[in-house]
Amino acid sequence: MKIELTIPTSLNEIKLAQYQKFLSIAKDNEESEFLQQKMVQIFCGIDLKDVASIRYKDVAEITTNINNIFTKENKFIQRFKMGGVEFGFIPNLDDMSTGEYMDLDAYITDWDTMHNAMAVLYRPITNKLGNKYEIEEYKGSVTYADVMRHAPVDVVLGAMVFFYNLGNDLLSSTINSLEGNQEVMNILNKHNSEKGGDGIQVSMLLLKETLEDLMKFPNYHYINH
């Protein structure tokens, strides 16, 4: 039986919805062969029954190739086009509204709601002049949440890289600033210890660890060829 399938060669060819679907399956399944089949099914867009008819060595090669594109460096993408519409990243994070901030904080730490976070971060460009641009006013993540399910994964992971680097910079500058004032450090550590924690540094590391977890391709230690 001849089966035609399109194998993605870059993250730009994989939609966020596909990645979310794969992550939800990989989270509860550690069986290498099953994840191989699901990877081909989801990322190549064919039925699972058709995957079963493909030679095992071909499935192994396909999954290895897909796995490899997730190991490449992810760069921040400020603007991208989807469905004929150009979307732009929030021009100035300092000017975020309370609604934008609260929604982003609620959605960005979970891949299940990443399309909502992307709907906060990226909106249609309404006006531009050179490298500067304005985006549509925020009316809630629901406005573009479903649209963002179709966003390319390289854009999503690039945004994660942006926040990862931002978190690292904030973490470094905050710790350096606090360590310069031992009295403040003692007070903060005492307060956190009383709350059952291990100190202010652990709290500040939480964001960094969360972003690191989000950026991992979950099956990398299950599929090896």
Side-chain angles (χ1 to χ4, degrees), residues 6 10 40 49 51 56 88 92 102 116 120 124 128-129 137 139-140 146 151-152 162 167 177 194 196 225:
T6 301
S10 72
V40 175
K49 61 180 178 60
V51 178
Y56 178 76
N92 190 342
M102 291 178 65
N116 296 90
V120 179
K128 59 183 177 180
L129 180 62
E137 182 182 350
K139 300 175 182 177
D146 287 339
F162 175 85
S177 176
E194 290 173 350
H225 301 291

Side-chain angles (χ1 to χ4, degrees), residues 3 8 18 35 40 52 59 62 72 90 115 121 139 155 170 203:
I3 298 174
Q18 292 174 296
L35 282 181
V40 175
V59 171
I62 292 170
K72 296 180 180 179
I90 293 178
H115 55 289
L121 293 173
K139 300 175 182 177
V155 175
L170 289 174
S203 299

Side-chain angles (χ1 to χ4, degrees), residues 57-68:
K57 71 174 186 177
D58 292 334
V59 171
E61 183 178 353
I62 292 170
T63 54
T64 296
N65 290 338
I66 295 175
N67 209 46
N68 287 339

Side-chain angles (χ1 to χ4, degrees), residues 16-29:
L16 172 57
Q18 292 174 296
Y19 191 50
Q20 288 175 312
K21 184 176 181 179
F22 178 74
L23 290 179
S24 67
I25 295 170
K27 182 169 53 180
D28 300 318
N29 294 277

Side-chain angles (χ1 to χ4, degrees), residues 155-170:
V155 175
V156 182
L157 292 178
M160 293 300 97
V161 168
F162 175 85
F163 281 103
Y164 178 85
N165 291 334
L166 180 64
N168 271 339
D169 291 342
L170 289 174

